[in-house]
Amino acid sequence: MKKISEFIKSLGFTFSFKRARKAFVLVFLFALIGVGVYLFYEFENSESGLKRIYAKEVSQKMDLQGKEIIKIYKKDVNEDKKLDYVFIAGEELRSGENELNSVVEMYNNVDFVIIDGQTELVTTYETGKNFNSNVTLQVCEDEQDRYFIISDLSGNISLCKLVETEMQDVESSSSIVDIVKNTTSNEFLGYTIYTKKDAENSNIVNVTIDNFSKEYLGESKDTKKLDFTEMGIDISKYRETYLRDKFSEFELKDTNNDGILELVAYQHILYSLDDEVNENKTLGIVETIFNIEEDKLKFNKVEVKIQD
């Protein structure tokens, strides 16, 4: 130990607890700064962080007229190699007047907006719809087109597409078409669902669906038998959906692997009566597939089944 002490002294280093504390504090501060920078960087690149950054940039380019940006992306959606702003915005309807002590329940009068990253031209489509707070905006593309799907879990949907239009044969501009609105001027509803339990086995449910003459839905006169016996689920604890003719979820999906997206709309058949149940909250689905042709939805097929 004596030799080690003499060696340290020969280096000109004098140990003291005061210096050790200072060194520890400095190391701690540098570590704290490092963690802070890392967390700030992570926040900036998170969905919430990017939303705040993009929303501030958008506010300098257009007047949102009191509406709040709900979802926003920066993507090149018009193939000019410049990132465009793509977002939805709406009027917040909160559970209370105090913003800090309330949550957003609805977004009223939702708009879909694209700001050209090169020209800063603003293209706005007023959906005229109100969406629940769980509304999402998805950008999907296939071999032919790019689509923007705005939907919530209560059956509200706008399926949009950006198209080029010619103005005065000189200038070209963009416009947004709503494929759902082109399909029907009425509310976009699904099949009306009827269920009846089997007389011999209460875990077997017979399901029939009726399109009630909706032109965009095909007829289905068959009764589908759904057998939940092997799932070990007590069907008596489930009720028939209250949303008898409303879609629950939507997705754009290439269902036949041809490189072209179809719109798949889902309706849940049974809901659990137990609020504490998390798994198997819903049982059975009506899956309706639409082709997208000439900016309209064309019925492809419908299937009543148990979820995979």
Side-chain angles (χ1 to χ4, degrees), residues 59-109:
S59 66
Q60 298 172 354
K61 301 178 184 299
M62 67 172 291
D63 181 5
L64 291 172
Q65 298 181 336
K67 295 186 177 182
E68 295 292 328
I69 291 179
I70 308 166
K71 302 287 182 183
I72 184 168
Y73 304 101
K74 284 185 79 172
K75 292 178 177 290
D76 179 11
V77 297
N78 55 8
E79 309 297 339
D80 63 357
K81 297 183 180 180
K82 291 286 186 180
L83 294 178
D84 311 298
Y85 295 95
V86 182
F87 64 93
I88 51 175
E91 303 165 0
E92 289 185 349
L93 178 63
R94 289 185 165 270
S95 57
E97 295 182 359
N98 190 324
E99 187 171 333
L100 294 176
N101 297 320
S102 63
V103 296
V104 177
E105 294 182 335
M106 294 281 295
Y107 290 103
N108 293 336
N109 301 315

Side-chain angles (χ1 to χ4, degrees), residues 242-301:
Y242 291 138
L243 305 174
R244 294 174 66 91
D245 61 354
K246 294 201 72 174
F247 293 114
S248 301
E249 298 176 56
F250 303 92
E251 69 172 330
L252 286 168
K253 183 178 179 181
D254 183 2
T255 60
N256 53 4
N257 298 315
D258 64 350
I260 305 300
L261 293 171
E262 291 81 38
L263 178 68
V264 185
Y266 301 98
Q267 293 175 262
H268 298 297
I269 298 173
L270 300 175
Y271 281 78
S272 173
L273 294 168
D274 189 348
D275 293 334
E276 296 182 359
V277 171
N278 294 318
E279 294 185 2
N280 298 316
K281 190 70 177 177
T282 62
L283 295 178
I285 55 172
V286 179
E287 180 183 274
T288 308
I289 299 176
F290 299 93
N291 295 334
I292 303 174
E293 299 178 4
E294 298 179 349
D295 295 336
K296 293 183 180 180
L297 296 175
K298 183 178 180 181
F299 176 79
N300 181 321
K301 66 177 181 179

Side-chain angles (χ1 to χ4, degrees), residues 36 71 74 130 142 150 178 214 219 224 263 267 297:
K71 302 287 182 183
K74 284 185 79 172
N130 305 327
D142 58 20
I150 307 160
D178 189 335
K214 300 182 185 74
E219 288 189 6
K224 179 71 175 183
L263 178 68
Q267 293 175 262
L297 296 175

